[in-house]
Amino acid sequence: AQKITQTQPGMFVQEKEAVTLDCTYDTSDQSYGLFWYKQPSSGEMIFLIYQGSYDEQNATEGRYSLNFQKARKSANLVISASQLGDSAMYFCAMREGLYSSASKIIFGSGTRLSIRP
Amino acid sequence: DVKVTQSSRYLVKRTGEKVFLECVQDMDHENMFWYRQDPGLGLRLIYFSYDVKMKEKGDIPEGYSVSREKKERFSLILESASTNQTSMYLCASSPAGGHFETQYFGPGTRLLVL
């Protein structure tokens, strides 16, 4: 079974609009972390935002916010006021067993976001 | 800033060749990881290491091996390259433990096996 599901392979959004990238996850752990990464065409993976399973507040980092709905096991990324430079591949990821030194991160299949001028 | 470097950005090899992909990190991280990235499949973990000389299989270890003789260096080895190993290979590192542990990625190596 997929641990991380991103149902939108590609999205087109007009510049300056807000965009929501969907992510659902599956885990039986009580402590886990959720991540979003951005991968521009150059290939490097850029960490954007993190949400811990016990965090009460939704994480925010500048124009990025994570809409965390624990009961629904969803961790959508919201980008406000999109810019042309936001065009990239976006990956949702999860780390289970937060307090284990050797725990690994599992990635979704990604969403390709394209911003139209 | 954390720096993770990979020995090559692009590599072309022939079927049956032995291939070495090198990864070096300069932040004294305990954990290091090798992923391959294919369209529509995201990143899949091949192997990871949480200490020198330690290694753990990831989700798709078949056809690969790894070596970690020094803390800063983690090598991925394709013993006999095959065309289905054509892919983008990403190395990452992270510190051990802690509530928050992101991974820091290298720039990737695009491997083409002919």
Side-chain angles (χ1 to χ4, degrees):
Chain A
Q2 291 279 357
K3 289 262 188 177
I4 299 284
T5 303
Q6 294 180 252
T7 55
Q8 307 150 309
M11 286 185 74
F12 286 89
V13 171
Q14 204 67 33
E15 191 180 8
K16 297 181 186 170
E17 286 184 355
V19 56
T20 298
L21 305 182
D22 294 340
C23 174
T24 56
Y25 60 92
D26 182 27
T27 182
S28 54
D29 274 13
Q30 294 302 307
S31 68
Y32 52 90
L34 297 155
F35 303 80
W36 277 92
Y37 291 86
K38 172 184 179 181
Q39 186 182 41
S41 56
S42 53
E44 79 268 31
M45 294 283 280
I46 301 166
F47 164 72
L48 295 178
I49 196 166
Y50 168 83
Q51 178 87 42
S53 58
Y54 290 118
D55 293 342
E56 304 256 327
Q57 306 267 10
N58 284 346
T60 59
E61 287 287 346
R63 292 186 301 113
Y64 304 109
S65 60
L66 200 152
N67 184 0
F68 181 46
Q69 298 187 44
K70 195 170 180 177
R72 296 180 61 186
K73 292 190 175 175
S74 119
N76 298 341
L77 177 71
V78 180
I79 306 174
S80 63
S82 57
Q83 301 171 356
L84 296 178
D86 294 333
S87 293
M89 195 77 169
Y90 288 80
F91 290 97
C92 179
M94 176 177 66
R95 188 162 74 85
E96 298 172 298
L98 272 184
Y99 297 99
S100 163
S101 63
S103 64
K104 54 190 182 181
I105 293 181
I106 303 160
F107 288 80
S109 56
T111 295
R112 183 166 298 282
L113 176 64
S114 300
I115 308 297
R116 290 196 189 104
Chain B
D1 273 355
V2 175
K3 191 137 187 183
V4 180
T5 56
Q6 294 182 229
S7 49
S8 306
R9 290 301 301 270
Y10 301 93
L11 212 49
V12 180
K13 295 291 181 181
R14 296 211 173 271
T15 302
E17 278 193 74
K18 191 168 185 174
V19 182
F20 291 88
L21 302 182
E22 304 282 341
C23 176
V24 177
Q25 50 95 2
D26 66 359
M27 282 303 290
D28 203 36
H29 285 168
E30 287 77 12
N31 300 333
M32 295 188 76
F33 306 82
W34 273 108
Y35 295 89
R36 64 176 282 176
Q37 181 181 2
D38 301 288
L41 297 177
L43 277 70
R44 292 179 293 164
L45 183 64
I46 304 171
Y47 267 97
F48 66 105
S49 167
Y50 54 88
D51 202 352
V52 176
K53 296 194 188 293
M54 307 298 283
K55 59 186 178 186
E56 293 278 343
K57 291 180 181 178
D59 300 316
I60 49 162
E62 298 78 20
Y64 303 94
S65 62
V66 289
S67 170
R68 190 152 181 219
E69 296 297 317
K70 292 186 177 180
K71 192 174 186 181
E72 67 270 19
R73 188 179 297 268
F74 192 34
S75 303
L76 180 69
I77 303 151
L78 288 66
E79 295 289 341
S80 177
S82 62
T83 54
N84 63 13
Q85 292 178 311
T86 290
S87 188
M88 168 78 137
Y89 290 88
L90 288 161
C91 174
S93 73
S94 69
H99 177 69
F100 165 73
E101 183 192 305
T102 187
Q103 292 183 350
Y104 298 87
F105 285 84
T109 296
R110 292 188 188 275
L111 173 65
L112 172 63
V113 182
L114 299 172

